[in-house]
């Protein structure tokens, strides 16, 4: 690679977590086991919602899509990290980096949109219980998922295209375990003002917009629950959205934590370690949250394993 600016670079270096060789075996075993649990747990949720007729409802249709998104989300980063640890290599090709970044942005966005759609579903279920199945019909559910996919794909294509326009220098070390958008953009030698503008505008519009939608839905849910006279009725209404609220809190809480730690951390490895919370830990916990807190899922899982 020649010195100076080079728009035809061939590879980046992912620095990962640690340079210490004695930690590599531990990290490989840890992330391999977490990845397998994530895939198996979310795949079990998908198979359960498809095979059990009692779960053929809008809520579980969205849940199966969320589980699929979780599998894809974690699969964009962890397998490449495991390969790099096993081969003692930090290299990722330019094409591989752009591809990884594209799909990471896509599935983060999809997760965000699906959580918002699920909040709307819970709002309709509690605010309009008698009209729930009429409002959340199959056509609307499919349309909401398709729109979520379309918005996520368009956003990821925009961000990837903006990165393709950049020129890069010879210092191509990414202080992370995957090609994170902000890290890649700041390796560029060319002006990144437009990229930064698009990143923050999209984060405010998409991230802030979906969060506002979730907050609005739950404000209506809370006001409706407060109007229920019996304690048993209040508990039953709240229990229908407790799992979703836990997942939303986990997703946004870890994302905010990563952002704050990245801004404050002096050590790049600390930022990479913080990112594990929402790239690996959140997808692995989602199926446990739904299977432990949701009675319908627990009953369906028992039927699934018994073969009934």
């Amino acid at each position: 690679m020649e010195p100076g600016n080079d728009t035809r670079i061939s590879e980046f270096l992912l620095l990962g977590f640690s340079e210490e060789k004695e930690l590599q075996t531990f990290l490989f075993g840890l992330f391999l086991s977490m990845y397998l649990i994530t895939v198996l747990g979310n795949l079990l949720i998908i198979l359960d919602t498809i095979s059990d007729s009692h779960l053929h409802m809008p809520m579980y249709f969205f849940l199966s899509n969320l589980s699929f998104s979780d599998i894809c989300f974690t699969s964009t980063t962890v397998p490449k990290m495991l390969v790099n640890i096993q081969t003692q290599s930090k290299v990722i090709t330019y094409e591989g980096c752009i591809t990884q970044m594209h799909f990471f942005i896509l599935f983060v966005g999809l997760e965000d949109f699906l959580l918002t759609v699920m909040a709307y579903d819970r709002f309709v279920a509690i605010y309009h219980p008698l009209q729930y199945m009429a409002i959340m019909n199959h056509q609307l559910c499919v349309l909401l998922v398709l729109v979520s996919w379309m918005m996520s794909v368009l956003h990821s294509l925009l961000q990837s295209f903006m990165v393709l326009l950049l020129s890069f220098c010879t210092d191509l070390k990414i202080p992370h375990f995957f090609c994170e958008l902000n890290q890649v953009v700041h390796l560029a030698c060319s002006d990144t003002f437009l990229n930064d503008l698009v990143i923050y505008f999209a984060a405010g519009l998409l991230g802030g917009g979906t969060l506002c939608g979730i907050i609005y839905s739950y404000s209506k849910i809370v006001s409706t629950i407060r109007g229920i006279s019996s304690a048993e009725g209040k508990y039953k209404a709240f229990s229908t959205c407790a799992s979703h609220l836990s997942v939303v809190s986990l997703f946004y809480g870890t994302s905010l934590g990563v952002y704050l730690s990245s801004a404050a951390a002096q050590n790049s490895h600390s930022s990479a370690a913080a990112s594990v919370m929402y790239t690996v830990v959140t997808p692995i916990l989602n199926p446990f949250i739904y299977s432990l807190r949701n009675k319908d899922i627990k009953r369906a899982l028992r039927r699934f394993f018994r073969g009934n």
Side-chain angles (χ1 to χ4, degrees), residues 201-244:
F201 178 76
L205 181 64
L206 301 181
T210 53
L211 181 59
C212 287
I214 292 172
I215 292 173
Y216 176 78
S217 295
Y218 273 100
S219 68
K220 290 293 186 180
I221 289 171
V222 170
S223 65
T224 303
I225 292 176
R226 288 180 62 185
I228 299 174
S229 57
S230 68
E232 183 181 355
K234 289 181 178 180
Y235 174 78
K236 185 177 180 180
F238 179 76
S239 64
T240 62
C241 54
S243 297
H244 175 259

Side-chain angles (χ1 to χ4, degrees), residues 64-260:
S64 63
N65 279 274
L66 182 68
S67 293
F68 176 75
S69 177
D70 279 335
I71 293 173
C72 297
F73 178 41
T74 193
S75 295
T76 60
T77 57
V78 177
K80 177 58 180 175
M81 177 180 61
L82 293 174
V83 169
N84 283 5
I85 292 175
Q86 185 66 19
T87 60
Q88 297 293 306
S89 170
K90 299 179 183 296
V91 172
I92 184 170
T93 64
Y94 175 78
E95 294 80 7
C97 186
I98 298 299
T99 302
Q100 185 185 65
M101 184 182 64
H102 167 76
F103 283 105
F104 182 81
I105 296 169
L106 191 160
F107 290 113
V108 168
L110 182 60
E111 189 110 351
D112 203 5
F113 283 116
L114 287 175
L115 288 174
T116 307
V117 168
M118 293 172 77
Y120 174 71
D121 171 74
R122 293 298 83 207
F123 157 70
V124 174
I126 294 175
Y127 200 73
H128 301 288
L130 298 180
Q131 293 85 32
Y132 173 64
M133 292 306 297
I135 296 173
M136 299 302 295
N137 55 71
H138 182 68
Q139 290 80 5
L140 179 61
C141 293
V142 172
L143 179 62
L144 289 172
V145 171
L146 287 177
V147 170
S148 298
W149 270 97
M150 184 172 64
M151 294 293 291
S152 302
V153 168
L154 290 175
H155 174 229
S156 60
L157 284 174
L158 173 62
Q159 297 289 6
S160 301
F161 177 73
M162 295 294 295
V163 173
L164 288 172
L165 297 178
L166 295 174
S167 299
F168 291 91
C169 303
T170 54
D171 183 14
L172 300 173
K173 297 177 181 178
I174 301 175
H176 222 298
F177 64 93
F178 68 96
C179 290
E180 196 267 335
L181 175 62
N182 201 48
Q183 298 280 357
V184 174
V185 167
H186 289 139
L187 288 178
C189 291
S190 52
D191 183 27
T192 62
F193 173 77
L194 189 58
N195 294 77
D196 291 331
L197 184 65
V198 171
I199 290 172
Y200 290 117
F201 178 76
L205 181 64
L206 301 181
T210 53
L211 181 59
C212 287
I214 292 172
I215 292 173
Y216 176 78
S217 295
Y218 273 100
S219 68
K220 290 293 186 180
I221 289 171
V222 170
S223 65
T224 303
I225 292 176
R226 288 180 62 185
I228 299 174
S229 57
S230 68
E232 183 181 355
K234 289 181 178 180
Y235 174 78
K236 185 177 180 180
F238 179 76
S239 64
T240 62
C241 54
S243 297
H244 175 259
L245 189 58
S246 300
V247 171
V248 168
S249 302
L250 183 65
F251 179 79
Y252 280 99
T254 54
S255 299
L256 181 61
V258 167
Y259 174 77
L260 294 176

Side-chain angles (χ1 to χ4, degrees), residues 48-57 60 296 299-300 303:
D48 206 23
T49 55
I50 293 174
S51 61
D52 196 309
S53 60
H54 297 87
L55 300 183
H56 291 175
M57 297 175 63
Y60 301 111
D296 291 335
R299 281 195 292 265
R303 286 192 293 267

Side-chain angles (χ1 to χ4, degrees), residues 263-274:
Q266 300 295 323
N267 187 348
S268 60
H269 292 306
S270 300
S271 176

